Amino acid sequence: MSNDRVGFEAFVAARTAALARTAYLLTGDAHLAEDLVQSALLKAAEHWQRIHTSPEAYVRRTMYHQQVSWWRRRRGVREHTIEGYDAADRVPDLDVALSVRDALALLTTRQRQVLVLRFFEDLTEHQVADVLGISRGSVKSTTRQAFDRLRRVAPHLAEFVEDPA
């Protein structure tokens, strides 16, 4: 077995669960999340020799861009979520977790991407801008708009919606 294949398989084994959680937050649908991760990993496998030094950044960027492409193609299609997608990761307060998931579903795709990257993936504004191919100012304004929208549509989450400034 080649070193490239061993390296890729080790990456997949180590990072698939984290990638799947991010994909679920981006899509709001368990099946779409699985498809998104598989699609991104397939592209990573094809380009492994070029990306092996920083595969996670490549895979995440691929997922974000692929999700936007899928969203654009399916604008009129209604999504149905499956409850309890990530049973292995128990959340202490399931009501809050479900409320956050439902609130994220009410955001635009770009708003959801920015919040997931900033606050679930803990990336800096610069890193989010790089991943999404937008300016740092766009990250800031999109974050502000997303928080404003969350305050309106999910007032019960007010304690979790902090001022991004």
Side-chain angles (χ1 to χ4, degrees):
M1 191 177 309
S2 74
N3 285 342
D4 285 345
R5 183 172 177 170
V6 170
F8 178 73
E9 288 178 0
F11 170 75
V12 169
R15 300 306 301 155
T16 297
L19 294 169
R21 283 189 296 274
T22 299
Y24 180 71
L25 290 170
L26 289 171
T27 64
D29 180 275
H31 297 293
L32 289 175
E34 289 172 6
D35 291 346
L36 189 59
V37 172
Q38 290 296 322
S39 175
L41 288 174
L42 179 62
K43 288 182 181 190
E46 292 169 357
H47 300 286
W48 187 254
Q49 284 195 334
R50 182 171 49 94
I51 65 153
H52 73 278
T53 58
S54 60
E56 182 130 1
Y58 178 88
V59 171
R60 289 186 183 281
R61 184 175 298 115
T62 300
M63 284 182 2
Y64 305 129
H65 290 287
Q66 185 68 43
Q67 200 275 330
V68 169
S69 296
W70 289 355
W71 175 80
R72 286 181 179 148
R73 284 194 304 262
R74 300 173 329 117
R75 280 189 182 168
V77 177
R78 178 147 169 76
E79 295 179 4
H80 300 282
T81 60
I82 297 175
E83 300 299 321
Y85 172 70
D86 199 351
D89 284 349
R90 299 282 182 221
V91 178
D93 190 341
L94 188 57
D95 290 335
V96 171
L98 293 173
S99 292
V100 168
R101 186 207 59 204
D102 293 343
L104 285 173
L106 298 172
L107 299 175
T108 67
T109 300
R110 178 56 50 96
Q111 289 171 342
R112 186 169 50 244
Q113 288 176 329
V114 168
L115 290 188
V116 167
L117 290 171
R118 281 284 290 130
F119 301 102
F120 289 94
E121 295 297 320
D122 202 27
L123 299 182
T124 66
E125 289 172 347
H126 286 105
Q127 291 170 321
V128 173
D130 287 344
V131 167
L132 296 177
I134 60 177
S135 70
R136 185 171 166 250
S138 292
V139 171
K140 288 177 139 184
S141 64
T142 302
T143 301
R144 187 188 70 255
Q145 292 164 0
F147 278 136
D148 289 346
R149 188 169 187 169
L150 285 175
R151 284 185 196 97
R152 284 192 316 274
V153 300
H156 58 287
L157 294 175
E159 68 183 277
F160 301 104
V161 180
E162 62 188 42
D163 188 355

